[in-house]
Amino acid sequence: MSLRDATSASPATLTTTLAGRLRDAILRGDLEPGSKLVLDRIRVGYGVSLSPLREALCRLESEGLVEAEDQRGYRVSPVSADNLTEVIRLRVELEGMAVREAILHGDAAWEGRVVSALHQLSRCVHGARSAEEQEVWEARHRAFHAELISACRMPLLQQFCETLHDQSDRYRRIFLKDHAPDRDVPAEHAAIAGAMIERRADDAAKLLREHVERTGRNIQAALRGAA
Amino acid sequence: MSLRDATSASPATLTTTLAGRLRDAILRGDLEPGSKLVLDRIRVGYGVSLSPLREALCRLESEGLVEAEDQRGYRVSPVSADNLTEVIRLRVELEGMAVREAILHGDAAWEGRVVSALHQLSRCVHGARSAEEQEVWEARHRAFHAELISACRMPLLQQFCETLHDQSDRYRRIFLKDHAPDRDVPAEHAAIAGAMIERRADDAAKLLREHVERTGRNIQAALRGAA
DNA sequence: CCGGATGAAAATATCGATTATTTATAGATC
DNA sequence: GATCTATAAATAATCGATATTTTCATCCGG
């Protein structure tokens, strides 16, 4: 059971809705890494009470997007080159494993979902003009990567991958905010999807690894530039 | 930053204390897997209010020990053969990676901590007579395994490993409750520690893998017997 | 002029009560 | 006799207020 899925599956309790809004704000970079989250300010800002706010932050903490310290409140998780390196490293390793399992267990229905997700992703532009278009691309991009490993039959692994993917998305959106993509990302996605559907496990893992690591290197470069 | 460490590091907020007590109860098997956690009953049982209780459960949720569903409350995470298989599989993979990194980065101080943890573990008996002795062994056993990978310089990986280790401990304590250990576990621990300190990465990974998988198979057998 | 103690202000942690939702039960209808 | 519906009890979610802790500026002493 994914934490994010709960947003749509259940009747949406206030806590769940709020967690989603805050997560988006952090992933989008609206809330600066390392900045203190003053509960009372957020409370009035979002028009809720403290209880659901605390619970929402607690969920975000388990996703590694905020950090809490007893008696000292919450802050947005800081960013660092070391942390990014670890995130990329773990993504490569874990998504690699998940991809191989998905290839092993995926059926025709799964293939269809992958093709569909790829198609929907290809229908929106990456370097989008409006912020809204960007959000659509982000959502479909995330959905595509999730679909690739959806057949792996390892729910825990899927959750780890989702968490790591969110982390790396945050870095990309903060540090590659106005960089034009330097490579043919849609082609990379198509190549990965193709390899998976054709059951070429080694190729798929290799392509995904390169895809993730290339993005990682670009972010590292921008991060060094910012510091 | 580990979730468990916060227990000792900070002035111990009510939430943190409560989370620890509940975690122990679940790991110990006192709270049956799949059973519903009626908030109001726990509230009076532990003599706290709802807010800290909710927050404590939220932390346990991120460790995979309890599950929450909107508007339907919390329940202790159920157990299943499939879930155990995944936990063991991921432990082997992730702890294997962590062990190799620790061997790469560990210094003399780390070696000392490993030796010390092994020694302390060896000073208590596994098939302990009293429940209290058993708790001591559990704590030192967990500390030993944590120390092995403490030098890996990958905090996220460490946290994943800790979570998985807790999960697998729960299975072991529930299903191997009164099984006498069928093998020389202390010798296995000593062998792993030795290989790590002598920087034999492949040996260490292999020994740890066999250690984890053996336990896994024993639990699987007991689990099948219970069903 | 600097360092540590002190007190006021801000922020967090906790509580008790209220509101909304779900689940179980009993009754009515087909 | 089975299924659907309405009601009531149980339970979770939310709120507003209070108690506790931390932080920061200030003052005093060295």
Side-chain angles (χ1 to χ4, degrees):
Chain A
M1 166 220 63
S2 152
L3 287 167
R4 187 190 306 280
D5 293 342
T7 314
S8 56
S10 289
T13 170
L14 229 187
T15 296
T16 306
T17 313
L18 185 59
R21 291 217 282 164
L22 287 170
R23 173 169 36 231
D24 287 347
I26 295 175
L27 257 39
R28 197 164 36 235
D30 288 353
L31 268 40
E32 205 174 335
S35 65
K36 192 155 170 40
L37 291 166
V38 183
L39 297 188
D40 209 53
R41 199 164 315 164
I42 305 176
R43 190 184 66 73
V44 299
Y46 286 85
V48 296
S49 182
L50 252 53
S51 317
L53 175 57
R54 289 194 134 269
E55 197 155 337
L57 287 171
C58 187
R59 293 197 197 171
L60 263 38
E61 185 184 9
S62 72
E63 298 172 35
L65 296 176
V66 309
E67 293 182 352
E69 204 172 340
D70 276 354
Q71 318 281 23
R72 300 246 211 123
Y74 291 87
R75 59 178 60 250
V76 181
S77 294
V79 294
S80 71
D82 283 350
N83 179 247
L84 176 59
T85 302
E86 187 184 358
V87 168
I88 297 294
R89 176 88 191 277
L90 288 176
R91 263 197 74 182
V92 165
E93 210 73 39
L94 297 190
E95 287 192 35
M97 191 192 329
V99 151
R100 288 172 190 280
E101 289 297 312
I103 286 177
L104 218 56
H105 296 295
D107 57 9
W110 165 71
E111 295 176 10
R113 293 201 308 274
V114 169
V115 172
S116 166
L118 176 66
H119 176 74
Q120 289 189 271
L121 176 59
S122 72
R123 302 287 287 182
C124 43
V125 273
H126 186 179
R129 291 154 296 277
S130 73
E132 196 182 336
E133 282 178 319
Q134 184 61 28
E135 290 299 326
V136 172
W137 184 87
E138 291 289 347
R140 292 189 181 173
H141 181 241
R142 178 164 35 232
F144 170 70
H145 275 277
E147 211 60 82
L148 287 179
I149 63 171
S150 67
C152 72
R153 300 197 187 168
M154 296 182 80
L156 283 174
L157 179 58
Q158 272 180 273
Q159 194 173 314
F160 286 162
C161 287
E162 189 184 353
T163 298
L164 291 168
H165 197 263
D166 277 355
Q167 294 275 1
S168 114
D169 268 2
R170 180 169 78 121
Y171 277 96
R172 174 173 53 73
R173 297 184 67 174
I174 291 175
F175 292 102
L176 265 37
K177 185 162 288 194
D178 29 39
H179 281 231
D182 61 322
R183 32 193 251 267
D184 194 350
V185 175
E188 292 180 20
H189 287 144
I192 297 169
M196 293 209 60
I197 287 172
E198 293 166 19
R199 267 47 180 189
R200 289 182 280 116
D202 290 342
D203 284 352
K206 179 162 170 278
L207 289 168
L208 182 63
R209 172 193 204 103
E210 287 168 355
H211 178 70
V212 171
E213 287 182 342
R214 256 198 290 269
T215 304
R217 277 195 298 273
N218 285 345
I219 302 172
Q220 288 283 14
L223 201 157
R224 273 192 296 273
Chain B
M1 168 219 65
S2 152
L3 287 167
R4 188 190 306 278
D5 292 345
T7 313
S8 56
S10 289
T13 168
L14 230 187
T15 297
T16 306
T17 313
L18 185 59
R21 290 218 281 165
L22 287 170
R23 173 172 32 236
D24 286 346
I26 295 175
L27 256 40
R28 199 166 32 235
D30 288 353
L31 267 41
E32 205 174 336
S35 65
K36 193 155 169 36
L37 291 166
V38 183
L39 297 188
D40 209 53
R41 200 162 317 163
I42 304 177
R43 189 185 67 73
V44 299
Y46 285 85
V48 297
S49 182
L50 251 56
S51 318
L53 174 56
R54 288 193 137 271
E55 197 155 337
L57 287 171
C58 188
R59 294 199 197 168
L60 264 37
E61 184 183 10
S62 73
E63 299 171 35
L65 295 177
V66 308
E67 293 182 352
E69 204 173 340
D70 276 355
Q71 318 282 22
R72 299 243 212 124
Y74 291 87
R75 61 177 58 250
V76 181
S77 294
V79 294
S80 71
D82 284 350
N83 178 247
L84 175 59
T85 303
E86 187 184 0
V87 168
I88 297 294
R89 176 88 189 277
L90 288 176
R91 265 197 72 183
V92 165
E93 211 73 38
L94 296 190
E95 288 193 34
M97 192 192 329
V99 151
R100 288 171 190 280
E101 290 297 312
I103 287 177
L104 217 57
H105 296 294
D107 57 7
W110 164 72
E111 295 176 10
R113 293 201 307 275
V114 169
V115 172
S116 165
L118 176 67
H119 175 75
Q120 289 189 270
L121 176 59
S122 71
R123 300 288 288 183
C124 42
V125 274
H126 185 180
R129 291 156 294 278
S130 73
E132 195 181 337
E133 282 177 321
Q134 184 61 28
E135 290 300 326
V136 172
W137 184 88
E138 292 288 347
R140 292 189 180 173
H141 180 242
R142 177 162 40 231
F144 170 71
H145 275 278
E147 213 58 83
L148 287 180
I149 63 170
S150 66
C152 72
R153 299 197 188 168
M154 297 182 80
L156 283 174
L157 180 58
Q158 272 180 275
Q159 195 172 314
F160 285 162
C161 286
E162 190 184 353
T163 298
L164 291 168
H165 198 263
D166 276 355
Q167 294 274 0
S168 116
D169 268 2
R170 180 169 76 120
Y171 277 96
R172 174 173 54 73
R173 297 184 67 174
I174 291 174
F175 291 102
L176 263 40
K177 186 162 288 197
D178 29 39
H179 281 231
D182 62 322
R183 31 192 252 267
D184 195 350
V185 175
E188 292 180 22
H189 287 144
I192 297 170
M196 293 210 59
I197 287 172
E198 292 166 20
R199 267 47 180 190
R200 290 181 278 117
D202 289 340
D203 284 352
K206 178 163 171 278
L207 289 168
L208 182 63
R209 171 194 206 103
E210 288 168 355
H211 178 70
V212 171
E213 286 182 342
R214 257 197 290 268
T215 304
R217 277 196 298 275
N218 285 346
I219 302 171
Q220 288 282 14
L223 202 157
R224 272 193 295 275

